[in-house]
Amino acid sequence: MPAPTLRVFVDFDSDTAFEVNPLILGSATEGILGTNRLGSGTLPIEITDLVTKVGIRRGRNRITSKFEPGTADVVLYDQNGDWNPANPNSAYYPNLVPLRQIIIYATYAGVDYFLFSGFISKYDTGFRQGNEDLSTVTLRCVDGFKLLAGSAVDSIPGSGVQLSGARVNAILDAIEWPISLRDIDAGDSTLQADPGGSRNTLEALQTVENSEFGGIFLDAEGKINFVSRNNLITIPATSVYDFSDTGVDISYTNAVVAFDDTTLINDVTVTRSGGTAQNAYDQPSIDKYFLHSGKRDGILVQTNTEALNQAKGILATRKDPEVRIDSIQLNLYDDTNPNKPLAGVDIEILDGVTVTKTMPGSSSVTQPSLVNAIHHDITKSSWMTTLYTSEPLLAGFVLDSAISGILGEDVLSY
């Protein structure tokens, strides 16, 4: 089966409204009358034929880091200066301005998969410098996380004592983020009333994320996803794709395996807003690996007991180093297994995958993981997708799971 087909569209509408479920001509899934809708101005314009290279970066670098704004660099041939914002003869003039929407997706086996939805933040011109060179322009793109980081909030209407998912929705309501661009779990923790005070929207959302011990990210379609703590714990136990180098499952290349102290934490302090510091530590781990401290401040849980449970949960899963598989790479032009290109375009951030790596000495490592980041590097003749993986920062016992329900090995979460 051939590799996925890349398609890129730009929406030159002159307003800042979000295009939800836009109509894209020629698409089997995004060109359905009565389902997909026209924008407020012109149709999105397809620029795929001009594209020579695409690089997409979405997610976070480490399990202990926050999710960052996603980015995409789209390199176009531009022999005639059509993508010069100052060229009045351009077919796109005067609409080559920052923050126009861009959609990048792949078609595979007749199905469309979003890879990136965001906004053009910058037009970088690459001038021809020789007879063999072609003039290019690079569209520097960011996703909606940048809009969240650039919008301020103070008091949040309707944000009294409530579940974490309701708090996320209240914050998004305050900036009029579209309901159709949300996928919000109810949450497991009941939070204090929002403390108020000037901060940006992304900071307010990440405070909820830390309080719940869940996950907030922007998916490839541009939707804000909020994953609850218990769902985040159970996701690795239900893998959507299995990868291995044993000839069974989906093959991969360039696995990065690590065994170090990067995720080691043996002294944890968690302090809730209005509460006292709650500490948990493991002396045998400190004696063996030295002191590795971590802290979480300002979370909005209601009791010191829940703050202490967070500290104990982190300690239980991070007090001992383990062999990790940090990333794997997929060549989507490898058609020996049709599930490989399918996995490359279908997997989303915080999906569960299982990776098996054969090690020297006839041993192997099998890691049930969360996908923390997805990178695509695409040219006219190649497509490499890198998945950055890790075990959850907070793990737990999952009933009836063969990999996360083992008595004596897995611990109950709070």
Side-chain angles (χ1 to χ4, degrees):
M1 186 172 287
T5 301
L6 179 75
R7 298 188 73 183
V8 182
F9 292 80
V10 174
D11 187 345
F12 287 115
D13 278 356
S14 59
D15 61 32
T16 56
F18 289 93
E19 295 301 345
V20 181
N21 217 13
L23 177 70
I24 297 176
L25 295 179
S27 168
T29 57
E30 306 301 325
I32 305 172
L33 292 175
T35 299
N36 307 107
R37 69 177 182 84
L38 295 172
S40 55
T42 58
L43 278 171
I45 295 173
E46 183 166 9
I47 61 171
T48 305
D49 289 344
L50 301 174
V51 175
T52 178
K53 185 188 299 183
V54 172
I56 297 171
R57 303 288 184 265
R58 299 176 47 241
R60 59 185 173 188
N61 294 328
R62 297 185 181 277
I63 187 66
T64 53
S65 303
K66 295 181 174 66
F67 286 106
E68 300 172 355
T71 64
D73 288 346
V74 181
V75 182
L76 311 176
Y77 290 128
D78 186 32
Q79 287 300 89
N80 300 319
D82 290 333
W83 290 85
N84 173 7
N87 179 9
N89 296 318
S90 166
Y92 310 120
Y93 186 86
N95 297 315
L96 293 174
V97 296
L99 298 182
R100 296 307 89 187
Q101 289 184 292
I102 186 167
I103 301 168
I104 306 172
Y105 72 92
T107 300
Y108 184 70
V111 180
D112 297 330
Y113 299 89
F114 280 89
L115 303 178
F116 182 86
S117 300
F119 305 86
I120 302 169
S121 63
K122 187 178 182 181
Y123 301 81
D124 269 353
T125 300
F127 297 102
R128 184 173 61 185
Q129 297 184 359
N131 292 332
E132 302 299 325
D133 293 333
L134 296 172
S135 295
T136 62
V137 65
T138 301
L139 308 181
R140 309 288 185 187
C141 310
V142 296
D143 68 14
F145 254 29
K146 181 174 182 178
L147 303 185
L148 297 176
S151 59
V153 293
D154 196 332
S155 59
I156 306 297
S159 62
V161 175
Q162 60 192 163
L163 281 171
S164 54
R167 179 65 51 79
V168 169
N169 277 318
I171 294 170
L172 295 176
D173 287 344
I175 62 168
E176 299 182 350
W177 189 273
I179 298 291
S180 55
L181 289 179
R182 309 181 192 182
D183 189 354
I184 311 298
D185 286 352
D188 300 305
S189 290
T190 300
L191 305 185
Q192 308 173 29
D194 183 81
S198 180
R199 61 249 144 104
N200 69 54
T201 304
L202 185 56
E203 290 171 336
L205 290 171
Q206 288 173 337
T207 297
V208 179
E209 177 186 33
N210 290 337
S211 302
E212 167 70 17
F213 220 126
I216 286 183
F217 69 96
L218 206 75
D219 67 22
E221 197 172 350
K223 292 182 179 179
I224 292 179
N225 286 240
F226 174 63
V227 183
S228 68
R229 176 175 65 253
N230 284 330
N231 283 342
L232 204 60
I233 289 170
T234 59
I235 283 172
T238 54
S239 171
V240 294
Y241 290 99
D242 297 326
F243 302 93
S244 72
D245 60 356
T246 62
V248 182
D249 306 320
I250 301 171
S251 63
Y252 57 83
T253 57
N254 297 335
V256 175
V257 180
F259 182 60
D260 54 35
D261 64 350
T262 300
T263 61
L264 177 63
I265 308 173
N266 50 31
D267 172 56
V268 187
T269 301
V270 177
T271 308
R272 70 183 182 94
S273 178
T276 56
Q278 303 296 306
N279 178 258
Y281 67 94
D282 185 271
Q283 193 60 50
S285 174
I286 294 171
D287 293 341
K288 188 172 185 178
Y289 303 114
F290 301 101
L291 183 66
H292 292 261
S293 299
K295 66 177 183 177
R296 297 163 69 87
D297 296 324
I299 63 172
L300 300 177
V301 298
Q302 291 190 289
T303 66
N304 287 334
T305 299
E306 185 166 352
L308 180 60
N309 285 337
Q310 271 204 19
K312 289 180 176 179
I314 296 171
L315 182 69
T317 56
R318 295 298 162 186
K319 63 185 177 64
D320 297 304
E322 295 182 341
V323 177
R324 306 188 314 274
I325 301 173
D326 284 345
S327 67
I328 58 173
Q329 196 169 63
L330 308 177
N331 178 5
L332 302 198
Y333 269 56
D334 180 357
D335 60 0
T336 56
N337 183 343
N339 284 330
K340 184 186 293 186
L342 174 61
V345 297
D346 182 42
I347 285 176
E348 183 53 270
I349 290 171
L350 292 188
D351 274 352
V353 298
T354 298
V355 182
T356 299
K357 172 62 179 172
T358 303
M359 303 293 287
S362 301
S363 64
S364 64
V365 176
T366 297
Q367 178 177 290
S369 304
L370 294 171
V371 176
N372 285 305
I374 303 170
H375 292 185
H376 295 283
D377 293 286
I378 308 163
T379 70
K380 294 282 189 181
S381 58
S382 65
W383 191 321
M384 301 301 293
T385 297
T386 305
L387 305 177
Y388 292 84
T389 62
S390 73
E391 294 180 310
L393 183 60
L394 184 69
F397 185 90
V398 180
L399 190 64
D400 296 327
S401 169
I403 56 178
S404 300
I406 303 174
L407 290 174
E409 294 186 15
D410 300 296
V411 297
L412 289 173
S413 179
Y414 70 96

